[in-house]
């Protein structure tokens, strides 16, 4: 490392070399130009003196310098320490006594303390005392010799530094808190919430504030906090050229700092009728400028009158700049969100078609964060032969692109469904349509063909939640529904197969379809949300619209959600006359090895929904045996029908139809036989059974009495 070595001042050092001095009147006229000055005089010239305190005699000797520090005349001090009470206030004396007592308790040889002296003219000066404690041969204190000096300038400089440091720290904290709070504000509503919450005005170092925006040459106050009472209506909205502080600041683009309420009213006489609303202290009115355009103004109010320092003014202007940027960003966000929500609203159905024998209602809520737009959708489609198509789906994402994809997919799915295709075919075509779009988004979906005259529901799902069914007695069922991959992904992976499931909706029952925004909350398992939804439906109102409102308010709107939500409720009316017979029809293909297991699973769900009780197992065994006979002894598949017959007691009729004209034959298998017991089991379990011709084939049937439910 190289550098210039600075030599210490040599014999040629002369502090008088710089002659640019300011003349000063000498306050120590008794000292000649070259006369030697003794120690006492040197101390006195520096406002310092000495004391000698004899602890045994209780006498304290003060030299003239010390007398000057205490502002005492010789006739005002008799050597007793108590004589100093005329100059040392009691609280300062206690501070001195505590400092000396602590030093004596700790066995120290010195002590020191700062204290204030009350001068004869009423002013106070800071003083510092430093004493050396002398001890005798036994270690006991007997004498204190020390100095006293004026410390006002010293402490003033130190206090000023501390004050500046504290003020800078306070300003830094204010800027950090304000910036951090406004950084999370997306909309103008969010900005006003930050400014008007419990700590809003304090973030600006104020007791109250007003925020107004310029719109079409008018000034509108949109946020107020910390003021006494409500802001008058005629001050909430005004012309930009009106004689009001905020409007004047926005028009002139110049900040305005006023020290008191009286100065404010003198400057703006129109405020005189509203004196009680305005704080009594200082105020600052700051223009909000973004991209060289005035978008509004910010008013800050304090309870105490004060003249703001240059640092305080600069801080206020800096915070106003932060607010201006946040308001401009929030305004652009609101405009974009308004466009996006308008776009999404046009993509969702505006009217629902009437449904014979039932009622339907829907609810949609955008996400509580972001642009309030997403990919969730619902649809109700009038189908041929009096059926109704019900759709609930969710496109991946929560942005305008998700909404655009959702709109295209909804229209395509509606077109496929309106042609009368089966649920599986509708979802296969929708998946292929989505895969051909120029997007990487996928979608989940559940589609149902509902025939409310018979109560039959044919449904298929693609990676989506299945339906909830609540019957007239509030029994909740989440039937197991086989499904496929999400739309788009299913085609991309070559697995665009969506098996169809048939369910039955009893008269007086309600079906619910929803997206995961209703049952899923961040940090919680979805099963907890499903349980909460089941309980809410079970305990909710019976009227359909009221139930939809309750579910929205209780499960989505109240806690808020980061996801959007679509909800669809379908209610089957009881209808006049006798109740329609509930029926389930399933087809088992000859070459499908898993067909029997699927029928058994569907039977279990249906029988549980019908509350068949202990007879459910008998029906399931009988169905398995009859299906096995049809698949084994014929060359066709089997058509399985099960229906709940009306009357008392309730009965369930099971039919298995095939295309063979060969009549069944009951056999008597031996103990070691592995087959031939099917009809024996049917005869043992069923109350009645038989066979009847069906066109080119036949049907084997059996009936089971359903035990009465306990009261």
């Amino acid at each position: 490392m190289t550098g210039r070595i600075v030599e210490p001042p040599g014999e040629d050092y002369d502090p008088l070399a710089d002659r640019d001095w300011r003349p000063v009147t000498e306050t120590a006229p008794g000292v000649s130009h070259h006369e030697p000055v003794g120690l006492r005089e040197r101390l006195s010239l520096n406002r310092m003196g000495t004391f000698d305190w004899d602890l045994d005699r209780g006498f304290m000797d003060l030299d003239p310098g010390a007398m000057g520090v205490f502002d005492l005349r010789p006739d005002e001090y008799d050597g007793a320490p108590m004589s100093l009470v005329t100059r040392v206030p009691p609280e300062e004396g206690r501070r001195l006594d505590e400092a000396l007592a602590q030093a004596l308790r700790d066995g120290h040889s010195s002590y020191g303390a700062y204290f204030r002296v009350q001068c004869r003219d009423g002013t106070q000066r800071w003083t510092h005392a430093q004493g050396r404690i002398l001890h005798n041969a036994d270690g006991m204190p007997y004498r204190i010799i020390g100095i006293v000096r004026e410390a006002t300038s010293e402490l003033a400089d130190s206090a000023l530094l501390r004050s500046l440091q504290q003020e800078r720290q306070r300003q830094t904290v204010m800027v950090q808190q304000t910036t951090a709070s406004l950084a999370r504000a997306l909309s103008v509503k969010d900005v006003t919430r930050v400014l008007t919450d419990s700590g809003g005005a304090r973030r600006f170092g104020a007791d109250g504030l007003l925020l107004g925006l310029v719109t079409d040459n008018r000034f509108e106050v949109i946020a107020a906090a910390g003021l006494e009472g409500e802001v008058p209506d005629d001050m909430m909205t005004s012309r930009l050229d009106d004689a009001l502080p905020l409007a004047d600041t926005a028009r002139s683009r110049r900040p305005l700092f006023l020290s008191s309420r009286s100065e404010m009213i003198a400057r703006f006489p129109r405020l005189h009728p509203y004196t009680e609303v305005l704080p009594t202290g200082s105020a600052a009115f700051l223009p909000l400028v973004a991209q060289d355009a005035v978008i509004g103004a910010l008013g800050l109010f304090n309870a105490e009158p004060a003249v703001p320092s240059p640092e305080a003014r600069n801080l206020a202007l800096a915070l106003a700049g932060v607010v201006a940027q946040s308001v401009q960003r929030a305004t652009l966000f609101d405009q974009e969100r308004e466009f996006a929500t308008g776009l999404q609203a046009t993509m969702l159905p505006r009217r629902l078609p009437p449904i014979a024998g039932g009622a339907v209602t829907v609810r949609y809520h955008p996400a509580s964060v972001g642009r309030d737009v997403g990919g969730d959708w619902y649809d109700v489609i009038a189908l041929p032969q009096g059926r109704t198509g019900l759709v609930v789906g969710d496109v991946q994402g929560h942005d305008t692109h998700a909404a655009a994809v959702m709109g295209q997919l909804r229209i395509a799915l509606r077109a496929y469904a309106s042609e009368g295709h089966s649920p599986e075919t509708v979802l296969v075509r929708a998946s292929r349509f989505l895969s051909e779009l120029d997007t990487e988004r996928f979608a989940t979906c559940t589609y149902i063909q509902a025939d409310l005259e018979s109560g039959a529901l044919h449904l298929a799902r693609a990676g989506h939640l299945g339906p909830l069914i609540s019957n007239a007695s509030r029994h909740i069922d989440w039937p197991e529904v086989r499904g496929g991959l999400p739309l788009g992904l299913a085609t991309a992976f070559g697995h665009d197969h969506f098996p169809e499931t048939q369910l039955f909706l009893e008269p007086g029952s309600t079906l619910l379809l929803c997206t995961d925004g209703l049952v899923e909350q961040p940090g919680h398992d979805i099963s907890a949300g499903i349980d909460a939804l089941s309980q809410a439906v079970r305990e909710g109102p019976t009227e359909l619209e009221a139930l939809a409102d309750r579910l929205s308010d209780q499960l989505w709107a109240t806690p808020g959600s980061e996801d959007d939500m679509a909800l669809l409720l379908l209610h089957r009316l009881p209808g006049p006359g006798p109740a329609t017979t509930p029926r389930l029809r399933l087809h088992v293909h000859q070459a499908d090895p898993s067909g029997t297991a699927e029928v058994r699973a569907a039977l279990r769900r249906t029988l549980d929904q019908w509350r068949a009780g202990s007879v459910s197992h008998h029906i399931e065994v009988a169905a398995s045996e009859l299906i096995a006979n049809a698949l084994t002894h014929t060359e066709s598949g089997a058509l399985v029908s099960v229906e709940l017959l009306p009357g008392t007691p309730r009965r369930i009729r099971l039919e298995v139809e095939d295309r063979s004209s060969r009549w069944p034959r009951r056999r008597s298998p031996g103990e070691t036989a592995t087959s031939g017991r099917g009809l024996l089991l049917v005869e043992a379990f069923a109350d009645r059974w038989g066979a009847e011709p069906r066109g080119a084939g036949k049907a084997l049937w059996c009936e089971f009495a359903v035990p009465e439910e306990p009261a």
Side-chain angles (χ1 to χ4, degrees):
M1 174 180 287
T2 60
R4 185 172 61 88
I5 299 177
V6 180
E7 298 290 345
E11 295 180 356
D12 58 346
Y13 171 69
D14 183 7
L16 303 181
D18 184 4
R19 297 286 179 171
D20 187 16
W21 306 325
R22 175 180 297 179
V24 176
T25 301
E26 180 57 65
T27 58
V31 179
S32 65
H33 198 68
H34 297 290
E35 177 183 346
V37 179
L39 176 60
R40 290 185 180 276
E41 287 78 8
R42 295 176 188 177
L43 295 175
S44 180
L45 287 173
N46 287 281
R47 297 184 180 276
M48 184 181 298
T50 65
F51 67 89
D52 187 349
W53 189 357
D54 189 333
L55 299 179
D56 294 333
R57 293 191 301 129
F59 181 82
M60 179 186 292
D61 177 57
L62 300 178
D63 69 0
M67 297 282 286
V69 171
F70 284 103
D71 196 16
L72 291 171
R73 301 191 188 100
D75 59 341
E76 295 177 329
Y77 181 67
D78 59 3
M82 289 300 297
S83 300
L84 298 177
V85 296
T86 59
R87 292 290 179 264
V88 180
E91 63 273 11
E92 302 299 323
R94 285 193 292 270
R95 183 181 298 135
L96 279 171
D97 293 343
E98 179 58 31
L100 175 58
Q102 187 65 42
L104 295 176
R105 285 194 299 267
D106 296 340
H108 293 164
S109 297
S110 63
Y111 77 99
Y114 287 94
F115 60 97
R116 284 176 295 185
V117 170
Q118 185 82 25
C119 299
R120 65 180 64 255
D121 61 1
T123 61
Q124 289 188 339
R125 66 168 65 140
W126 279 101
T127 305
H128 182 258
Q130 182 73 36
R132 173 63 188 270
I133 305 174
L134 303 180
H135 299 79
N136 57 24
D138 297 329
M140 302 299 296
Y142 69 93
R143 190 174 182 182
I144 301 176
I145 299 176
I147 60 172
V148 291
R149 59 184 178 86
E150 283 193 25
T152 301
S153 299
E154 171 192 337
L155 290 185
D157 293 341
S158 176
L160 178 60
L161 289 176
R162 288 197 303 271
S163 176
L164 290 176
Q165 291 174 352
Q166 292 173 356
E167 180 63 18
R168 291 192 188 100
Q169 183 179 6
R170 186 182 71 90
Q171 293 178 0
T172 301
V173 171
M174 288 170 57
V175 172
Q176 290 176 343
Q177 290 179 344
T178 304
T179 304
S181 299
L182 291 175
R184 295 187 294 269
L186 295 178
S187 64
V188 174
K189 184 178 180 180
D190 295 336
V191 172
T192 59
R193 187 184 302 115
V194 170
L195 298 182
T196 57
D197 64 13
S198 58
R202 289 196 295 272
R203 295 191 189 97
F204 297 86
D207 299 311
L209 62 80
L210 286 174
L211 173 67
L213 300 182
V214 176
T215 306
D216 297 330
N217 204 34
R218 295 190 65 82
F219 191 86
E220 180 180 0
V221 176
I222 65 170
L227 302 180
E228 297 292 336
E230 297 291 334
V231 179
D233 293 337
D234 59 344
M235 295 179 64
M236 294 294 292
T237 304
S238 62
R239 299 190 312 272
L240 194 58
D241 59 354
D242 211 341
L244 291 173
L246 287 175
D248 181 77
T249 298
R251 184 179 63 254
S252 65
R253 301 177 63 133
R254 292 193 301 270
L256 179 62
F257 297 92
L258 304 172
S259 60
S260 64
R261 181 173 63 185
S262 59
E263 183 181 358
M264 186 191 316
I265 295 176
R267 180 73 177 268
F268 300 96
R270 189 183 163 189
L271 296 176
H272 191 273
Y274 312 112
T275 302
E276 299 301 325
V277 179
L278 302 172
T280 59
S282 59
F285 300 97
L286 313 166
L288 302 181
V289 182
Q291 295 184 349
D292 200 32
V294 178
I295 62 175
L298 177 67
L300 302 176
F301 303 91
N302 291 288
E304 298 296 331
V307 177
S309 65
E311 292 79 8
R313 296 185 181 215
N314 292 334
L315 175 64
L317 293 173
L319 293 176
V322 174
V323 174
Q325 296 297 324
S326 299
V327 170
Q328 184 192 45
R329 183 181 67 249
T331 301
L332 296 176
F333 176 86
D334 285 343
Q335 293 172 353
E336 180 182 353
R337 180 172 58 182
E338 182 179 1
F339 168 77
T341 52
L343 173 66
Q344 186 180 32
T346 60
M347 293 180 176
L348 292 174
R350 296 185 179 181
R351 292 184 300 273
L352 302 179
I355 299 178
V360 65
T361 188
V362 294
R363 294 292 184 272
Y364 173 80
H365 285 295
S368 60
V369 296
R371 290 171 173 81
D372 284 0
V373 64
D376 288 17
W377 90 93
Y378 61 85
D379 208 348
V380 180
I381 309 166
L383 300 178
Q385 301 176 354
R387 295 171 300 167
T388 302
L390 308 171
V391 186
V392 166
D394 181 4
V395 175
Q396 176 195 15
H398 306 99
D399 51 21
T400 53
H401 183 61
V405 173
M406 175 272 290
Q408 297 177 78
L409 182 59
R410 186 185 79 85
I411 293 172
L413 196 147
R414 168 178 273 265
Y416 300 142
S418 299
E419 293 174 353
H421 297 293
S422 67
E424 178 178 9
T425 302
V426 170
L427 293 189
V428 167
R429 295 192 176 188
S431 179
R432 293 174 181 174
F433 172 84
L434 182 57
S435 68
E436 293 173 359
L437 289 180
D438 187 16
T439 179
E440 296 180 353
R441 306 295 177 93
F442 62 84
T444 64
C445 177
T446 294
Y447 172 59
I448 298 179
Q449 279 187 359
D451 183 359
L452 292 190
E453 183 178 356
S454 65
L457 304 176
H458 297 266
L459 65 152
R461 65 183 185 91
H464 200 80
L465 287 173
L468 175 151
I469 295 179
S470 171
N471 63 16
S473 60
R474 298 300 183 90
H475 175 78
I476 303 299
D477 181 36
W478 288 88
E480 182 179 348
V481 179
R482 294 179 59 193
L485 295 175
L487 303 180
L489 290 180
T491 302
F493 292 140
H495 296 290
D496 48 356
H497 173 58
F498 305 95
E500 183 177 314
T501 301
Q502 181 180 346
L503 301 176
F504 183 81
L505 189 65
E506 294 182 14
S509 298
T510 300
L511 176 138
L512 179 149
L513 291 176
C514 67
T515 57
D516 55 6
L518 188 65
V519 295
E520 193 171 31
Q521 292 289 338
H524 298 276
D525 189 82
I526 192 172
S527 61
I530 291 176
D531 293 341
L533 177 58
S534 301
Q535 182 178 357
V537 173
R538 185 182 301 111
E539 299 175 354
T542 57
E543 200 273 325
L544 202 62
E545 295 292 337
L547 177 61
D549 291 336
R550 173 72 64 84
L551 298 179
S552 298
D553 295 339
Q554 180 175 336
L555 299 182
W556 190 91
T558 301
S561 175
E562 296 180 0
D563 198 2
D564 42 348
M565 179 277 292
L567 168 67
L568 186 150
L569 293 174
L570 172 69
H571 179 71
R572 185 185 179 194
L573 300 176
T580 306
T581 302
R583 178 179 297 146
L584 172 68
R585 293 174 64 86
L586 298 171
H587 187 267
V588 184
H589 294 279
Q590 177 73 30
D592 184 5
S594 62
T596 303
E598 294 176 6
V599 170
R600 293 178 64 136
L603 273 176
R604 279 195 297 271
R605 293 191 301 268
T606 302
L607 295 174
D608 178 68
Q609 186 178 356
W610 292 349
R611 300 178 302 283
S614 59
V615 79
S616 298
H617 174 70
H618 298 167
I619 299 174
E620 186 179 337
V621 172
S624 299
E625 295 298 332
L626 294 179
I627 293 171
N629 283 343
L631 298 181
T632 303
H633 301 294
T634 70
E635 296 180 355
S636 65
L639 179 62
V640 182
S641 300
V642 60
E643 58 183 337
L644 181 63
L645 301 179
T648 304
R650 294 187 305 154
R651 290 175 300 137
I652 293 178
R653 180 182 178 92
L654 170 67
E655 292 183 358
V656 177
E657 183 177 345
D658 59 50
R659 297 291 181 86
S660 174
S661 60
R662 293 181 57 187
W663 215 248
R665 182 171 58 89
R666 185 173 58 182
R667 293 182 289 174
S668 300
E671 296 182 358
T672 60
T674 58
S675 63
R677 297 185 176 88
L679 292 181
L680 293 178
L681 289 174
V682 171
E683 186 178 28
F685 286 145
D687 296 308
R688 297 171 55 201
W689 75 280
E692 59 186 41
R694 293 287 174 85
K698 64 180 181 302
L700 271 70
W701 59 269
C702 48
E703 293 183 0
F704 303 83
V706 179
E708 292 295 327
E709 292 182 316

